[in-house]
Amino acid sequence: MAIYLKEDEVASVLDMPLALDAVEQVMAAHGRGETVDYPRQRVRLPSTMTHLLQGGVPGLNLTGLKVYTSAGPKVRFWVHLFDATNGDPVAVLEADRLGMMRTGAAGGVAAKWLARPEACVAGVFGSGWQAQGQVLALCAARPIERVKVFGRNPDRLASFCAQMSRETGREIVPAASAEETVRGSDVVVTITTSPKPLFDAEWLGEGTHITGAGSNSLARQELSEAAVRRAAVICVDSREVAVRESGDLMPLLEKGRTQPGRWVELGEVIAGIRPGRTSPQQITLFESQGMAIQDIALAARVLERARERGLGQALPY
């Protein structure tokens, strides 16, 4: 029976350890060539935009898509799952929190594989909805003790830090400046919609890991070209997606200062196909654009828990 899960039902069974495991497993499968994933497509109209990601995970016997619409500040998300053998519909999930958690989980998995083992201080740019997932994932994936957060709105920043401190049990504090956010941080995360770089590349210390999670179009660029060039390892979730969407990488790509063949995919690192960090001194960079297979894999885990608890309503077909 195909079922529909509402946002509150999804949230009731979804936690970060589940998201981290789902994303790590499906990215390893992607690295081994065991999945199918297509870059995001967008339909732009004067007042709205529709965004579509599609993929298939044969190991889960699922194919599916994530679709979301944006109209001004309002965004709505759904994930659709289908049986990969017979094409029957399996489920439709409202996916606002699911998407936030899987985006955070991708950053957390990247930090697990690319940050130095002793990394304990993080700096985060952004204090919105998506930043919650990044902080939750980072604190679940690594032995983070302190997180410095930089945001434009002081009141929202203070509220964010208080909430994240409660949820993680870690020291989450407002940063006074962009420089304070970066200097002394073992991990730096950017999760904003900024059209221009957020910090000076010279502030990065040796061995820093960076997760760039907000720049998924040419209209956004969170990292300077100098910051990208300092990275000894550039890791992407998908080269095919990154060449189309990474606002941090595309300017260098256009100037011939980087090439996709030099980038490693996160799944390749997890599967042991290509190396990630090879020395403590290296600066590593993960550029996260998002993939349908990540949504499908996490939605499958959520669906399994929801069925066990008798959640959801039947979908006719």
Side-chain angles (χ1 to χ4, degrees), residues 25 28 40 44 51 56 61 105 133 146 169 179 198 202 209 251 264 286 309-310:
Q25 294 299 321
R40 187 183 346 245
R44 294 176 171 86
H51 316 251
N61 194 39
R146 188 168 190 261
E179 184 170 358
L198 297 166
E202 295 304 313
H209 169 68
V264 299
F286 173 59
R309 301 183 190 185

Side-chain angles (χ1 to χ4, degrees), residues 166-288:
R166 291 192 300 269
E167 292 192 26
T168 64
R170 315 293 173 87
E171 184 185 7
I172 316 291
V173 297
S177 66
E179 184 170 358
E180 180 185 316
T181 307
V182 176
R183 288 199 185 274
S185 292
D186 304 306
V187 179
V188 173
V189 177
T190 61
I191 183 67
T192 74
T193 58
S194 178
K196 59 185 180 179
L198 297 166
F199 60 86
D200 191 319
E202 295 304 313
W203 301 340
L204 293 165
E206 280 192 352
T208 304
H209 169 68
I210 309 164
T211 289
S215 178
N216 63 359
S217 77
L218 271 175
R220 300 178 183 178
Q221 186 180 3
E222 297 179 302
L223 305 181
S224 67
E225 292 186 28
V228 175
R229 288 200 303 270
R230 288 200 65 189
V233 178
I234 297 176
C235 181
V236 298
D237 41 18
S238 161
R239 280 183 287 271
E240 186 179 9
V241 174
V243 296
R244 297 178 182 220
E245 295 196 349
S246 178
D248 293 331
L249 298 181
M250 284 191 287
L252 284 89
L253 189 63
E254 287 294 315
K255 296 171 185 176
R257 293 174 180 169
T258 188
Q259 294 82 35
R262 293 176 51 200
W263 310 340
V264 299
E265 292 188 343
L266 180 58
E268 293 172 337
V269 175
I270 298 169
I273 295 167
R274 295 182 69 175
R277 174 183 294 275
T278 56
S279 80
Q281 292 76 33
Q282 288 179 326
I283 291 176
T284 57
L285 167 62
F286 173 59
E287 279 290 322
S288 176

